Amino acid sequence: MSALFDVLTEHLDEFGGGLWVTLRLVMGAFVIAIVVGTVVAALRIAPSVWLRRLGGIYVESFRNIPLLVLLTMAYAGLRRAGVPIGQWTAGIGALGLYTAAYVAEVLRSGVFAVSKGQIEASLSLGFSYAQTLRRIVLPQAFRTVIPPLGSITIAMIKNSAIIGVSLIALNDILKSARIVQAETFKTEEAFLWAAVGYLLITVTATIAFRFLERRYVISR
Amino acid sequence: MTYLFRPDNWEWLITGRNARFIFEGFLVNLQLALIAMVFSLIFGLGLALLRISPWGPVRFATGLWIDLWRNLPLILVILYFAIAMPESWRDAYQTAAPGFLPDVLQRGRVFAALLALVLYNSAVLAEIMRAGIQSLDRGQGEAATALGLTYVQRMRLVILPQGLRRMVPATISQLITLNKDTTLVSIIGIQEVMRQGRILTGNNFFGGVQAPLLHVLLFIGALFIVTNLLLSRLSRRLEIAEQLRTGTTLEPISGLEDQVRPVQAR
């Protein structure tokens, strides 16, 4: 048992550094996912057929492509094409854009949960389409989608482990654990602490979303 | 943009057997997904039945097992098995692997990948199936008991056909995820489409035409998008058929909301 904790205490720098890298990756990707996801959701329900199609193409492309393909494209692919993209930009960008497709789908279904009468009422009161979206639809949509947004965030945190094993090779939790494993050959211990690291983040996210849910969710 | 669409950069695709080389890799992914799918569905159903077993400790233990595998990053599990799996297990797989599988999938390390994929996906599918079964009206099970059906008859004739059919969209959604996740096995050195693609971009390229990495990846991505779109079209069809037949709509399940399409706009 003590051997288990020795691996952690002797390599606290690696594990701590890995935790911090993963945290920064998921926080950055989360912001991108929410912002881009909202824009794409707005496209998906726009009055113009072409904008709706554009949104649809985004969702179907980014949701159906393997994240590893996207990450490799965003880093090695772009670099070989002569675009000097950084590790962080590529990692956060690809994970964020990938997750945005899921966020957009969930937001769209949230918008559909807002009754049509409210939208008609708002438009007939003279609000513009953008105003209706911003003041009437989205605030309510965001509330109904807190639980699904939570499970997307958890999935995103788990997906972030792919960044470390891709060509981007940032020293995130999993990568750090592999470094420790290669140094010490303590495979079980290294992977167990990596798993604990991811659990720490996912559990924190779960608690945060539970809190938001209790505060804001309106049940219909 | 001009870089992306310049014909020179796409020439590799129609040169020599480059395209065939990519398709061969992609076939490995599809086969891997198919094998993992079959086993995950079988074990997932078993876990789901244990998860709703009338016996408390079994329910609890199964719940722990499911939550454990569901909450670990899949790539962590794949890497762990690839490193930690005993030699004897790999040898056992190598001797047991049926001969009709392609050579790539008969290697020992494929077992590590399959084990990880099945443990993870059977846990997720078990949770989906459990939700489907529990979304049924209680009266269904009670009526079956009252009619004198045994546990097996009740499950086989009444509960499962209805419960599982409701969960077809969520199940296919998870199968799409599984299909995408097969690219992760390239990390542990299984020769599938990502690796085939990387070989094409290397120096000893086929046909004397350089294949840019970005273009190769775009092509691979397009293969996945097309396959997965076909899968989700199938799912949508089955969902509509089910709605027409029974008049039920699918409710989101806690923790799996991203997989079950919530009730559509009226």
Side-chain angles (χ1 to χ4, degrees):
Chain A
M1 201 58 184
S2 76
L4 182 58
F5 285 96
D6 285 347
V7 173
L8 181 66
T9 46
E10 280 164 25
H11 300 275
L12 210 55
D13 284 352
E14 279 98 334
F15 284 115
L19 189 68
W20 181 225
V21 168
T22 295
L23 263 178
R24 277 189 288 172
L25 283 172
V26 296
M27 286 190 297
F30 182 75
V31 173
I32 292 183
I34 294 293
V35 173
V36 177
T38 310
V39 173
V40 175
L43 286 179
R44 289 279 269 161
I45 51 168
S48 138
V49 177
W50 289 105
L51 289 182
R52 280 206 297 273
R53 263 182 210 162
L54 191 67
I57 290 172
Y58 182 94
V59 169
E60 297 304 352
S61 315
F62 280 84
R63 210 168 51 154
N64 289 321
I65 200 168
L67 180 57
L68 185 62
V69 173
L70 203 59
L71 284 165
T72 318
M73 251 192 236
Y75 189 62
L78 285 181
R79 285 189 84 95
R80 286 213 204 155
V83 183
I85 193 165
Q87 288 168 296
W88 286 94
T89 321
I92 291 179
L95 184 60
L97 292 179
Y98 176 83
T99 312
Y102 291 87
V103 172
E105 274 309 85
V106 160
L107 285 182
R108 187 176 75 117
S109 66
V111 168
F112 280 138
V114 177
S115 76
K116 222 172 167 173
Q118 289 199 31
I119 299 166
E120 282 160 6
S122 160
L123 289 174
S124 63
L125 281 173
F127 283 113
S128 70
Y129 175 74
Q131 279 174 323
T132 306
L133 204 58
R134 202 161 47 97
R135 295 182 185 255
I136 312 290
V137 179
L138 285 182
Q140 295 188 70
F142 262 115
R143 288 174 182 208
T144 49
V145 300
I146 289 173
L149 225 42
S151 56
I152 289 175
T153 307
I154 306 290
M156 185 191 73
I157 294 167
K158 293 193 292 166
N159 282 335
S160 79
I162 302 174
I163 297 175
V165 298
S166 73
L167 292 173
I168 296 177
L170 281 167
N171 282 343
D172 65 356
I173 298 177
L174 186 55
K175 183 82 189 302
S176 309
R178 282 176 89 197
I179 293 171
V180 172
Q181 190 272 336
E183 266 175 30
T184 61
F185 294 108
K186 297 210 163 101
T187 312
E188 274 73 26
E189 290 87 343
F191 277 87
L192 182 84
W193 287 118
V196 170
Y198 284 105
L199 275 185
L200 224 58
I201 305 180
T202 48
V203 168
T204 313
T206 309
I207 292 171
F209 273 97
R210 288 257 168 82
F211 173 76
L212 286 176
E213 204 176 323
R214 225 172 306 137
R215 261 200 85 169
Y216 293 112
V217 153
I218 30 170
S219 40
R220 260 172 249 278
Chain B
M1 272 305 184
T2 49
Y3 171 81
L4 261 189
F5 295 114
R6 216 166 46 210
D8 298 359
N9 286 331
W10 285 105
E11 209 188 320
W12 62 275
L13 195 55
I14 49 163
T15 312
R17 45 189 299 277
N18 284 356
R20 204 197 143 103
F21 194 62
I22 294 276
F23 276 116
E24 277 165 7
F26 189 57
L27 200 64
V28 172
N29 287 68
L30 289 183
Q31 285 168 320
L32 195 63
L34 200 68
I35 301 169
M37 231 176 245
V38 170
F39 283 103
S40 304
L41 284 170
I42 295 170
F43 288 123
L45 181 59
L47 284 173
L49 289 177
L50 289 177
R51 186 78 181 77
I52 53 167
S53 123
W55 204 43
V58 171
R59 272 204 308 273
F60 179 75
T62 318
L64 272 185
W65 174 265
I66 291 175
D67 282 342
L68 168 73
W69 295 110
R70 221 157 65 90
N71 287 306
L72 286 174
L74 176 60
I75 183 65
L76 184 149
V77 184
I78 293 178
L79 273 176
Y80 173 73
F81 283 132
I83 297 174
M85 180 171 281
E87 201 68 37
S88 56
W89 291 28
R90 297 171 190 230
D91 294 342
Y93 175 80
Q94 248 166 335
T95 38
F100 58 81
L101 288 179
D103 288 347
V104 191
L105 290 180
Q106 295 197 25
R107 304 265 160 76
R109 59 167 72 108
V110 173
F111 189 42
L114 274 177
L115 192 61
L117 285 170
V118 170
L119 280 173
Y120 177 81
N121 285 291
S122 59
V124 177
L125 287 172
E127 204 62 354
I128 292 173
M129 293 178 187
R130 179 192 62 82
I133 293 168
Q134 290 189 334
S135 75
L136 276 188
D137 194 273
R138 273 180 65 100
Q140 295 275 345
E142 285 164 0
T145 318
L147 284 172
L149 298 187
T150 63
Y151 175 81
V152 176
Q153 286 175 323
R154 210 156 67 218
M155 282 296 164
R156 198 171 59 87
L157 300 171
V158 181
I159 310 278
L160 292 183
Q162 299 185 74
L164 297 188
R165 210 178 281 139
R166 282 188 188 183
M167 286 299 119
V168 164
T171 305
I172 292 187
S173 196
Q174 184 56 30
L175 297 185
I176 290 176
T177 308
L178 168 57
N179 198 15
K180 292 191 291 178
D181 285 343
T182 55
T183 52
L184 295 180
V185 306
S186 64
I187 307 286
I188 61 168
I190 294 169
Q191 196 65 32
E192 45 65 88
V193 72
M194 288 293 281
R195 290 202 159 231
Q196 301 279 81
R198 294 266 289 284
I199 289 175
L200 284 191
T201 65
N203 285 323
N204 297 319
F205 37 84
F206 300 107
V209 181
Q210 180 68 49
L213 181 59
L214 195 59
H215 296 67
V216 172
L217 289 169
L218 277 172
F219 184 65
I220 295 174
L223 288 180
F224 276 100
I225 291 172
V226 170
T227 319
N228 291 337
L229 278 178
L230 288 176
L231 271 174
S232 47
R233 169 153 297 188
L234 171 76
S235 150
R236 189 84 200 119
R237 243 195 220 159
L238 293 171
E239 192 181 344
I240 291 170
E242 178 68 5
Q243 271 175 21
L244 288 177
R245 221 172 57 85
T246 63
T248 51
T249 39
L250 300 158
E251 299 289 337
I253 308 158
S254 160
L256 294 166
E257 293 92 342
D258 51 324
Q259 277 164 338
V260 183
R261 233 185 317 263
V263 186
Q264 288 288 316
R266 290 151 292 266

